[in-house]
Amino acid sequence: MLISKAVIAAAGMGTRFLPITRSIPKEMLPLVDRPVIQYAVEEAVACGINLVVMITAQGKASLEEYFDRNIELERSLQQRGKKNLWEKIHRLPDMANICFIHQKEQLGLGHAVLSTKEVIGKEPFVLILPDDLFEQKEIILQKMLGIYQKFHGSVIALRQVSHESIGRYGVIRAKHIDGNIYQVLDLVEKPRPENAPSDLAVMGRYILTPEIFPELEATAPGSGGEIQLTDALRSLLEKQEIYGYVTEGDYYDAGTIPGWLHATISLALKHPEFGPELRKNFFVSPE
Ligand code: G1P
């Protein structure tokens, strides 16, 4: 079955970025020349998605505004001959059909995903957590869609992480299948490092089947008192196979200040317009 819908989870409180996130959603923080959320929408569009379901929450109205048309601004830019700027903002509302779901209580990622049940219906769908950014963003979801087509089970993105940081993620126990592909045998959300079943952590890209919804409905609060997607996937394992795809290339966790700084610097250095100047100013040591 073709996958045409992507859920982008953008309801998190962003406490790691306080005080900034008192009035700016963390998804609106800039990464070089675009807010974090735009990378997620672009990634969904690049893999052929035509409906983006964005989960937001209180204080996140600017996400909606960002993807809305601003006729007055567009007209003014056109009149002043600012064609480049006009193009940048004109294409935003047309990038994808985006519908917004307001999560009224922030009870965890699993709860957020459950709130999309009616919009998603009985179709498989992509889930993107915008904090996780990948250098190879054009190919990760493509590869995962390929695995879904071949094995007909849910697919989650994985990455080897260090023992010290494993406790920040969902972690899997798995059987190696081929190349970067694993079959998931068990999952645990944010284990203590000494209890982690492996060093393979769940990254924020998923292909989910609609069978996840009844599992989410039956999932009690878990790690951190939140309804965890990882726990629902764990119970889904009794009924359906789940596969993992180990991602390659650079990865940035834009959900923490150090990760966001890392992403900003790396992406700026690689940027065709800003990179060369930056390298000249900061990275050539004076004679
Ligand atoms: C969420 C998931 C976790 C996953 C992580 C990836 O955690 O619950 O399983 O490993 O995203 O970034 P969060 O970062 O929302 O605490």
Side-chain angles (χ1 to χ4, degrees):
M1 187 178 203
L2 224 64
I3 298 189
S4 64
K5 295 176 185 170
V7 170
I8 299 184
M13 282 191 255
T15 37
R16 291 189 184 111
F17 284 95
L18 280 171
I20 304 167
T21 43
R22 284 199 62 192
S23 58
I24 299 172
K26 63 175 173 165
E27 297 81 7
M28 286 306 294
L29 291 176
L31 273 178
V32 188
D33 57 354
R34 281 162 284 172
V36 171
I37 193 69
Q38 190 171 336
Y39 290 82
V41 174
E42 285 172 354
E43 194 177 325
V45 170
C47 79
I49 294 297
N50 53 38
L51 179 67
V52 169
V53 182
M54 197 177 288
I55 313 166
T56 66
Q58 209 211 354
K60 304 247 183 181
S62 55
L63 288 171
E64 249 172 275
E65 273 164 30
Y66 186 72
F67 291 100
D68 200 358
R69 174 133 277 139
N70 185 333
I71 300 282
E72 242 173 86
L73 178 59
E74 285 190 32
R75 201 174 291 141
S76 145
L77 291 172
Q78 265 179 322
Q79 280 164 358
R80 290 186 288 146
K82 309 243 180 222
K83 194 163 179 287
N84 282 353
L85 289 176
W86 176 81
E87 269 165 8
K88 278 187 188 168
I89 66 154
H90 177 75
R91 70 187 186 94
L92 281 176
D94 298 330
M95 270 174 64
N97 292 313
I98 307 182
C99 79
F100 293 87
I101 290 191
H102 196 82
Q103 192 192 9
K104 292 179 190 67
E105 265 186 287
Q106 282 146 301
L107 301 179
L109 177 62
H111 178 258
V113 173
L114 183 56
S115 70
T116 68
K117 181 181 163 193
E118 301 304 324
V119 182
I120 296 296
K122 299 215 173 307
E123 295 175 29
F125 60 102
V126 166
L127 170 65
I128 297 178
L129 309 186
D131 285 354
D132 288 337
L133 276 148
F134 299 93
E135 190 191 21
Q136 300 195 341
K137 64 178 177 357
E138 290 82 11
I139 60 166
I140 289 176
L141 281 174
Q142 293 292 359
K143 293 260 186 193
M144 291 173 68
L145 288 168
I147 297 168
Y148 171 78
Q149 303 290 4
K150 186 165 174 197
F151 295 97
H152 304 288
S154 305
V155 187
I156 54 188
L158 301 170
R159 189 173 181 86
Q160 270 182 329
V161 304
S162 67
H163 184 72
E164 300 77 58
S165 58
I166 196 93
R168 284 187 13 223
Y169 299 97
V171 185
I172 65 157
R173 186 162 65 78
K175 185 172 95 184
H176 184 231
I177 299 210
D178 186 22
N180 288 15
I181 308 174
Y182 284 75
Q183 184 176 349
V184 176
L185 303 177
D186 200 4
L187 305 93
V188 51
E189 180 69 10
K190 300 191 174 63
R192 294 162 76 96
E194 60 275 24
N195 298 334
S198 75
D199 61 355
L200 286 175
V202 177
M203 295 287 120
R205 299 294 180 277
Y206 307 72
I207 313 276
L208 297 172
T209 61
E211 286 75 23
I212 195 67
F213 292 120
E215 303 305 325
L216 285 167
E217 277 164 337
T219 299
S223 166
E226 297 185 336
I227 296 173
Q228 297 291 351
L229 176 61
T230 304
D231 295 341
L233 284 166
R234 185 170 200 246
S235 55
L236 183 63
L237 260 184
E238 288 164 24
K239 298 163 191 157
Q240 267 187 7
E241 288 176 348
I242 300 179
Y243 295 87
Y245 170 71
V246 180
T247 61
E248 289 170 5
D250 279 348
Y251 153 75
Y252 312 109
D253 175 7
T256 65
I257 292 181
W260 175 80
L261 286 170
H262 181 188
T264 301
I265 295 166
S266 300
L267 295 173
L269 287 172
K270 287 177 193 160
H271 195 282
E273 189 182 340
F274 310 122
E277 184 74 16
L278 257 189
R279 273 194 291 271
K280 208 167 79 199
N281 287 340
F282 289 101
F283 296 97
V284 177
S285 52
E287 295 297 308

